[in-house]
Amino acid sequence: MLTYREPSAGGGAEGVTVELTPQETEQFRKVAAEITGMLPHGEPAGPGQFDDSRLLAEIEVAARWVPPRLARALSHFRRQGDPHGALLVRNVPLDEDVPPTPADGAAPAWSGLRTATVAQLAVVSWLGDVIAYADEKAGHLVQDIVPVRGAEQRQENSGSVLLELHTEDGFHPYKPDFVTLLCLRADHERRARTTYGAVARALPRLSAECVRVLRRPLFRIHPSSSFGGPGTGADAGAGIVSPPLPVLSGPAADPEIVADFHAMEPLDETAARAFDELREAMLAVLVGTVLEAGDLIVVDNRTAVHGRTAFRPRYDGRDRWLRRCFAVADLRPSRAVRAPGSQVCAPLRPVGGP
């Protein structure tokens, strides 16, 4: 079990933060309003309500009119990243009346969150192409992250215990390059810190032997219990496991990372020792922030891992509520597992499956 260490500087976020001015927020709200006019009226059925390449292209065009300072920050983060592996945007426009936090893990109607939905999709369009997975959250492109009664102890988005550091969907051959989390409502006691750490900052703490082992395909990841479509739970994702893979890859001074300190399995004792050394190094450089309503954080899923500290849900309709959306820099490599025109990857097959 990981032990979260409080960051310095009063517990605030480290790395790049863009705090939109009231004028910039209003400009962003007008862009979102323009985009909502393109959305279908009523309540589209099924998870594919935004899985329309033409609609997403229109959102991308309209998103060119977001505040220039935000556009520049997102563009720079997409190309150059950040030493801490994250970008925080404050004062993103939300809907005037955010509905009660859903008890079952999914918003009952997207139309009550039009502004938040399109604002997040506009941000994602500056990072790349939105992507989703049929195995996870029913393939929704924009997903609700809320505590669910009875799931408190799970190492997944519906839990409320410490969520250990991980690469998002690191077991998937087409994992996201970027993870965006938009806060609609903070937890009651402001205890839930979204934590993150970039592997480049941990490198000086690693021995040469550790780095050598981490670059060998001596690790595999099992999916979380949230990845498995209908019937998620203890048996979700049964039989699915990544092939042996390295934790570190890419340039020596600026590597990429795939790690999960709950679900990753070292394949021998040497790999286990190296993974433990990495765990300690990542904890030493860990930073984080409590997300407030209107905060949107972008995590570089290629160079950083992220998690969340524990909090206490009350199940009173006012619990913590984030919305999550993934992006990839290039959608084309996953085309063999997506239907034509769709951004949703088909379900993974168990090892040995047809």
Side-chain angles (χ1 to χ4, degrees), residues 232-317:
T232 57
D235 297 327
I240 298 175
V241 64
S242 75
L245 48 80
V247 170
L248 300 182
S249 60
D254 187 22
E256 297 191 356
I257 183 173
V258 175
D260 188 318
F261 292 108
H262 172 75
M264 185 166 245
E265 175 188 0
L267 298 182
D268 61 29
E269 292 184 5
T270 300
R273 287 194 296 271
F275 202 52
D276 286 341
E277 185 175 336
L278 174 67
R279 180 199 307 259
E280 290 303 309
M282 293 305 305
L283 285 172
V285 302
L286 190 65
V287 295
T289 187
V290 174
L291 297 179
E292 298 283 353
D295 287 352
L296 185 149
I297 193 167
V298 184
V299 177
D300 189 333
N301 202 44
R302 303 163 300 184
T303 64
V305 289
H306 68 285
R308 188 212 63 240
T309 58
F311 66 102
R312 293 185 294 190
R314 299 181 187 177
Y315 306 114
D316 60 355

Side-chain angles (χ1 to χ4, degrees), residues 76-278:
H76 183 272
F77 187 77
R78 173 176 56 83
R79 296 192 313 272
Q80 303 295 330
D82 173 79
H84 293 277
L87 167 67
L88 179 62
V89 183
R90 297 195 187 277
N91 301 325
V92 171
L94 302 179
D95 301 86
E96 291 186 6
D97 296 312
V98 174
T101 301
D104 61 354
W110 71 268
S111 61
L113 295 166
R114 286 176 178 267
T115 299
T117 298
V118 298
Q120 189 164 13
L121 287 171
V123 166
V124 167
S125 75
W126 278 94
L127 300 168
D129 292 302
V130 63
I131 194 169
Y133 309 94
D135 295 291
E136 187 170 40
K137 296 285 186 180
H140 284 275
L141 269 62
V142 181
Q143 306 161 4
D144 298 290
I145 307 300
V146 301
V148 175
R149 191 185 295 274
E152 290 86 353
Q153 300 298 317
R154 289 184 183 173
Q155 279 293 309
E156 60 171 76
N157 57 77
S158 61
S160 49
V161 296
L162 175 75
L163 182 62
E164 301 199 48
L165 295 174
H166 61 283
T167 298
E168 194 71 40
D169 295 340
F171 53 86
H172 201 284
Y174 306 109
K175 67 179 180 65
D177 292 325
F178 301 99
V179 179
T180 69
L181 297 168
L182 173 61
C183 182
L184 303 184
R185 183 173 289 130
D187 67 293
H188 291 280
E189 299 166 318
R190 305 303 195 269
R191 298 178 63 180
R193 290 185 183 273
T194 298
T195 58
Y196 48 92
V199 68
R201 296 187 68 234
L203 278 180
R205 299 174 179 271
L206 301 178
S207 66
E209 174 63 12
C210 175
V211 172
R212 185 187 69 80
V213 173
L214 292 175
R215 285 183 169 272
R216 297 175 58 196
L218 297 173
F219 309 85
R220 59 185 181 185
I221 305 179
H222 297 267
S224 75
S225 55
S226 66
F227 204 93
T232 57
D235 297 327
I240 298 175
V241 64
S242 75
L245 48 80
V247 170
L248 300 182
S249 60
D254 187 22
E256 297 191 356
I257 183 173
V258 175
D260 188 318
F261 292 108
H262 172 75
M264 185 166 245
E265 175 188 0
L267 298 182
D268 61 29
E269 292 184 5
T270 300
R273 287 194 296 271
F275 202 52
D276 286 341
E277 185 175 336
L278 174 67

